[in-house]
Amino acid sequence: MANKRTLKHAINLICDELFAEAVAASLYGNEPHKDNADVVLASIIRLETDYISRISHVEPGLKAKQYFKILRQQFTTEANEIIDQINNL
């Protein structure tokens, strides 16, 4: 990780792509599930705002390198869960 700005930019790009994919899947999918699509879109927005805010405030008691490693792993896990939800739309 080069710096916080780069990490924030990467999270924004990933969430933007997830949002675009979710919208496309909800519009062009076989069966329209508006409620499911709304939940997925809301979870993407929540994911982005949560992790962007967590970048600026390192958790006390952890070294910065360890904190950001854990943060990236948690983000990847949650992003993969959202990808699975998009595939099920």
Side-chain angles (χ1 to χ4, degrees):
M1 181 189 79
N3 57 24
K4 291 179 183 180
R5 181 178 53 200
T6 306
L7 185 57
K8 285 182 181 181
H9 184 69
I11 288 173
N12 279 327
L13 287 176
I14 291 168
C15 290
D16 288 346
E17 290 294 323
L18 287 174
F19 195 85
E21 288 295 323
V23 168
S26 68
L27 291 176
Y28 302 116
N30 294 336
E31 298 177 18
H33 297 289
K34 184 175 180 349
D35 295 334
N36 293 343
D38 291 344
V39 170
V40 171
L41 294 174
S43 66
I44 294 169
I45 293 170
R46 196 174 322 108
L47 176 76
E48 181 177 18
T49 56
D50 179 41
Y51 280 91
I52 294 296
S53 66
R54 287 175 60 186
I55 289 172
S56 299
H57 306 287
V58 177
E59 189 173 310
L62 287 175
K63 293 182 180 181
K65 186 174 183 176
Q66 181 183 10
Y67 176 75
F68 288 115
K69 182 179 179 181
I70 293 169
L71 187 84
R72 284 192 308 268
Q73 289 173 347
Q74 290 173 347
F75 177 78
T76 302
T77 302
E78 289 187 36
N80 286 335
E81 290 173 4
I82 291 175
I83 290 170
D84 292 338
Q85 290 174 0
I86 291 172
N87 289 333
N88 292 331
L89 286 180

